[in-house]
Amino acid sequence: MNERPKGVSNIHEVDGNKDVIVIVPTIDFNGKFARECRENIFKGLHIVFVESGKDYYFNFAHNCNVGIKKSLEYDPKWIIVSNDDMVKIDTAKLLQEQLLALNEKKYDVIFTQPSKYHSSSEKISRPNILFFVYSLIMNKNCGRTALKMYKKFLIRYLISPISGKFSKLFKNGYQYLEIQDFGIFSSLWISKVGGSIYDETFINAAEDTDLSIRIKIENARTMIIDYKIGDLIGSTLDTGNLRAVRSIAGLTYLNWKWDNKKNVFNVNGST
């Protein structure tokens, strides 16, 4: 995973208020999702698009870090990392007002009101017997393949919500707030932890969970603001069985880091 090329990361900028900068990894700067971001969702803010094209070696974590490094050149107060397939609920003006009302020296990471995908309470924990039964019933072929892969690569821990019907498939575990597709960071905190906050060993799976858990472990100072943004979920990389199998590599690495968290659960993910 470390030896895999990082892929294309072309930068396109849309000028706006540089106190709050939005980083948007995207396949196509001229595509409908990127266009919706600059013309509607984040209109008025400075946006750094990191365009990959349909590149086989696309690495989400790498492209986020590329955008973060570019954003730091402008000395912003806050840096937002957002997927391109988002849904506008509240305005960019409200987001900006909420963030600039905060002291960026007192807070490191900002969460918003939870959507179906981000800013939600999750846990990393071991599945119970009900999980394995459910997996086989819901999709016999993919479920059986996934369970074999979990066993082969020592994947003992998975991610689940802390409440709801799916939480019953898992034992108690370590709880944290999940960034997923929308995270807000103080540029001071980003600089303090080295600038590259996403672990680029991950390949488009679990890098956001890894960062979310590190934020909790490292006692980053967090805040929840009254701002809402929705998400389409998987519109760029797709969802389904193929993505589930593809995520095995990320889950394997995340499990290795979790098992060795006292020594290696760090920003760079070095081994």
Side-chain angles (χ1 to χ4, degrees):
M1 292 163 71
N2 275 323
E3 294 171 355
R4 184 177 186 266
K6 300 301 182 184
V8 176
S9 54
N10 295 321
I11 290 179
H12 302 269
E13 297 185 62
V14 177
D15 194 42
N17 187 303
K18 293 183 176 65
D19 284 333
V20 179
I21 295 181
V22 186
I23 299 161
V24 182
T26 186
I27 289 178
D28 183 5
F29 174 70
N30 293 308
K32 63 177 183 178
F33 293 130
R35 186 167 59 250
E36 175 68 6
C37 284
R38 63 177 177 267
E39 294 181 358
N40 191 14
I41 300 174
F42 302 121
K43 186 176 182 179
L45 301 179
H46 192 85
I47 309 174
V48 176
F49 287 94
V50 186
E51 183 185 49
S52 64
K54 293 184 178 180
D55 180 21
Y56 177 80
Y57 290 113
F58 168 67
N59 182 299
F60 177 80
H62 174 70
N63 284 15
C64 287
N65 286 336
V66 167
I68 287 170
K69 290 175 182 176
K70 182 62 181 179
S71 299
L72 288 173
E73 294 178 6
Y74 299 112
D75 193 26
K77 294 182 178 180
W78 300 99
I79 293 177
I80 298 170
V81 178
S82 173
N83 281 16
D84 62 355
D85 56 341
M86 306 304 288
V87 177
K88 181 179 178 180
I89 298 178
D90 289 332
T91 65
K93 181 180 179 181
L94 176 63
L95 174 60
Q96 177 179 296
E97 289 174 350
Q98 295 252 350
L99 291 176
L100 295 185
L102 298 175
N103 186 340
E104 70 276 11
K105 296 179 181 179
K106 292 184 177 180
Y107 299 103
D108 301 320
V109 181
I110 305 299
F111 292 93
T112 67
Q113 298 301 307
S115 72
K116 293 180 179 179
Y117 203 51
H118 67 77
S119 303
S120 57
S121 297
E122 307 282 340
K123 64 182 178 182
I124 179 169
S125 61
R126 293 192 179 199
N128 57 37
I129 190 64
L130 293 176
F131 170 84
F132 299 103
V133 173
Y134 176 83
S135 298
L136 292 174
I137 291 175
M138 291 303 294
N139 192 323
K140 293 182 179 180
N141 292 329
C142 185
R144 189 176 292 110
T145 299
L147 295 180
K148 287 181 179 179
M149 299 283 270
Y150 291 167
K151 183 178 180 180
K152 179 177 181 179
F153 295 108
L154 304 179
I155 298 174
R156 296 186 294 272
Y157 297 94
L158 297 174
I159 307 303
S160 81
I162 64 171
S163 61
K165 62 180 181 180
F166 289 111
S167 67
K168 297 177 181 179
L169 305 179
F170 295 83
K171 300 176 183 178
N172 293 330
Y174 186 81
Q175 298 182 14
Y176 62 93
L177 282 177
E178 181 72 72
I179 289 173
Q180 294 282 22
D181 57 8
F182 191 83
I184 306 172
F185 312 94
S186 160
S187 63
L188 295 175
W189 179 75
I190 290 176
S191 297
K192 183 175 69 175
V193 299
S196 297
I197 60 175
Y198 286 87
D199 184 342
E200 296 181 17
T201 300
F202 290 100
I203 305 173
N204 311 328
E207 62 279 299
D208 45 5
T209 294
D210 170 70
L211 176 56
S212 302
I213 293 173
R214 291 199 328 260
I215 288 168
K216 175 72 176 294
I217 288 176
E218 295 168 5
N219 296 314
R221 300 166 299 175
T222 62
M223 172 77 175
I224 299 174
I225 60 172
D226 189 18
Y227 168 81
K228 295 180 181 179
I229 185 168
D231 25 45
L232 294 175
I233 307 176
S235 296
T236 304
L237 288 180
D238 202 2
T239 58
N241 295 339
L242 180 60
R243 186 170 183 177
V245 174
R246 195 170 62 224
S247 70
I248 294 295
L251 284 173
T252 301
Y253 181 46
L254 181 67
N255 270 253
W256 180 83
K257 292 186 77 171
W258 185 246
D259 283 335
N260 297 276
K261 54 184 173 293
K262 290 184 179 179
N263 300 316
V264 301
F265 219 95
N266 52 46
V267 170
N268 295 320
S270 58
T271 59

